[in-house]
């Protein structure tokens, strides 16, 4: 397995390949969620590249850029075991060596959910993903449904701006108790870790209410009640929107029920996609 640190090395490696290239962009500190994306790429593509880059432009001034967990040795070992062909591991200086006045504006899809409490976050995500797609030139890219708003924005970017690649959606990988796997779970205290699966339980119960009553209000009120009474976390948002276009609507054929909850050192997100079966003939 190759470790590539410059854009030039990636370009040369890309040119030397035969067959398709699958690409999995990450911020490292890999867990089984990332492993699932990598396994799907290895199974479906002739070659697989993993990138590990904690992208500064997607972090706000008071966010966890400096303390974001890192373990390159362990990540390398895991990637090797899965059959990854190369890792792109650039520095911030390498990625942002050229200054420009051109910026990204994610528009109104970034006004909902995480975009509300993380202004500029998705502009940074689309910026780095665009750069990575151009450097790597993959045929297939793999993103997790765990970050559903990010996935929706990337699908929109790829479609609207004609990136010649296919975006694969990968279902959220969870701990045995239902907590969505996340590099940020290490920030949880022992008692917060015990409570954290309640977010997923609350979303599941709210989904059932929504399907039974057809009422967004009732579903959201239930999820709010469960999370605020059964955890010590503070709700950032709980929303039920159409998916992937993230509009407030009573009913769309595909909806997303999403939550973000602040614990003392971690902000956790989770979501469920709800497919509504039409009862009309
Ligand atoms: P990150 O390193 O957090 O930027 O995540 C890199 C990729 O892994 C993104 O496409 C995430 O959506 C995906 N991912 C993170 N956690 C999970 C999970 N629990 N299940 C599936 N995919 C995930």
């Amino acid at each position: 397995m190759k470790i590539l640190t410059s854009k030039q090395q990636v370009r040369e490696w890309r040119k030397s390949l035969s067959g398709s290239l699958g690409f999995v962009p990450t911020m490292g500190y890999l867990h089984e969620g990332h492993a699932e994306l990598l396994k799907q790429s290895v199974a479906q593509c002739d070659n697989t590249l993993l990138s590990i880059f904690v992208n500064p432009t997607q972090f706000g001034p008071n966010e966890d850029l400096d303390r974001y967990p890192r373990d390159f040795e362990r990540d390398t070992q895991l990637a090797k075991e899965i059959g990854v062909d190369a890792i792109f591991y650039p520095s911030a200086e390498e990625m942002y060596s050229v200054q420009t006045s051109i910026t990204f504006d994610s528009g109104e899809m970034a006004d909902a959910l995480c975009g509300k409490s993380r202004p500029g976050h998705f502009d940074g995500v689309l910026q780095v993903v665009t750069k990575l797609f151009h450097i790597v030139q993959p045929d297939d890219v793999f993103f997790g449904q765990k970050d559903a708003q990010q996935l929706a924005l990337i699908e929109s970017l790829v479609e609207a701006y004609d990136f010649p690649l296919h975006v694969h959606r990968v279902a959220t990988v969870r701990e045995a108790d239902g907590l969505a796997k996340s590099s940020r779970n290490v920030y949880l205290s022992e008692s917060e870790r015990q409570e954290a699966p309640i977010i997923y339980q609350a979303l599941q119960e709210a989904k059932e209410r929504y399907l039974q009553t057809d009422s967004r209000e009732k579903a959201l009120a239930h999820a709010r009640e469960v999370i605020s009474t059964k955890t010590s976390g503070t709700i950032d948002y709980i929303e039920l929107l159409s998916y992937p276009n993230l509009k407030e609507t009573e009913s769309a054929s595909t909806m997303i029920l999403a939550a973000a909850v602040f614990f003392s050192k971690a902000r956790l997100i989770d979501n469920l996609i709800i497919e509504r079966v039409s009862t009309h003939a």
Side-chain angles (χ1 to χ4, degrees):
M1 188 177 68
K2 291 223 160 21
I3 310 287
L4 311 167
T5 55
S6 74
K7 300 179 208 179
Q8 190 54 32
Q9 285 171 344
V10 176
R11 291 206 179 97
E12 279 163 22
W13 177 77
R14 176 72 183 102
K15 274 198 201 124
S16 75
L17 299 179
S18 52
S20 63
L21 175 60
F23 176 41
V24 179
T26 76
M27 299 202 297
Y29 208 68
L30 303 182
H31 51 67
E32 283 150 56
H34 300 114
E36 180 57 28
L37 309 194
L38 291 167
K39 283 178 193 163
Q40 291 200 14
S41 176
V42 168
Q44 294 176 46
C45 305
D46 299 308
N47 306 276
T48 292
L49 178 86
L50 158 70
S51 69
I52 298 179
F53 180 57
V54 183
N55 173 39
T57 72
Q58 70 191 65
F59 284 78
N62 298 316
E63 293 184 350
D64 56 346
L65 173 63
D66 294 334
R67 64 190 175 98
Y68 195 84
R70 292 158 215 249
D71 191 342
F72 185 66
E73 292 303 310
R74 192 166 59 83
D75 290 351
T76 309
Q77 195 49 42
L78 182 69
K80 211 185 271 177
E81 282 163 22
I82 293 171
V84 168
D85 299 285
I87 301 181
F88 181 35
Y89 184 52
S91 65
E93 292 71 31
E94 174 68 11
M95 282 300 282
Y96 294 106
S97 55
V98 179
Q99 297 295 314
T100 176
S101 65
I102 300 167
T103 56
F104 280 73
D105 181 348
S106 317
E108 65 178 21
M109 263 174 96
D111 293 343
L113 307 179
C114 290
K116 258 189 204 158
S117 50
R118 303 189 70 188
H121 167 67
F122 289 112
D123 300 343
V125 168
L126 296 188
Q127 177 191 39
V128 77
V129 158
T130 297
K131 287 170 69 68
L132 287 168
F133 287 173
H134 286 142
I135 297 162
V136 173
Q137 299 188 24
D139 301 293
D140 296 272
V141 296
F142 296 80
F143 286 89
Q145 192 69 54
K146 155 94 180 359
D147 299 279
Q149 186 174 17
Q150 166 176 285
L151 177 52
L153 275 156
I154 290 168
E155 284 177 345
S156 177
L157 174 79
V158 163
E159 197 186 358
Y161 289 93
D162 307 294
F163 285 74
L165 50 84
H166 179 61
V167 180
H168 297 255
R169 293 182 180 183
V170 179
T172 302
V173 177
R174 300 178 179 282
E175 303 285 354
D177 59 13
L179 174 64
K181 297 219 180 224
S182 165
S183 306
R184 289 187 168 102
N185 289 348
V186 293
Y187 297 150
L188 297 171
S189 71
E190 220 168 290
S191 62
E192 288 173 337
R193 174 63 190 83
Q194 305 265 305
E195 295 168 3
I198 291 166
I199 301 171
Y200 181 50
Q201 286 164 26
L203 292 178
Q204 283 176 306
E205 289 176 20
K207 174 179 171 176
E208 286 313 309
R209 297 242 161 161
Y210 177 60
L211 292 173
Q212 279 159 14
T213 63
D214 232 14
S215 162
R216 279 176 82 224
E217 275 316 302
K218 283 189 184 142
L220 292 172
H222 181 73
R224 256 183 224 117
E225 160 88 10
V226 171
I227 293 174
S228 56
T229 57
K230 295 191 179 167
T231 78
S232 58
T234 306
I235 295 168
D236 178 10
Y237 65 75
I238 299 179
E239 292 278 6
L240 184 51
L241 303 173
S242 61
Y243 194 80
N245 56 353
L246 308 177
K247 299 260 190 246
E248 270 190 36
T249 167
E250 232 10 83
S251 61
S253 56
T254 306
M255 305 280 285
I256 182 167
L257 179 57
V261 179
F262 288 108
F263 287 92
S264 54
K265 293 203 181 73
R267 177 177 168 281
L268 302 188
I269 59 170
D270 202 350
N271 70 81
L272 292 179
I273 299 295
I274 304 176
E275 301 289 351
R276 288 163 53 93
V277 183
S278 169
T279 49
H280 303 293

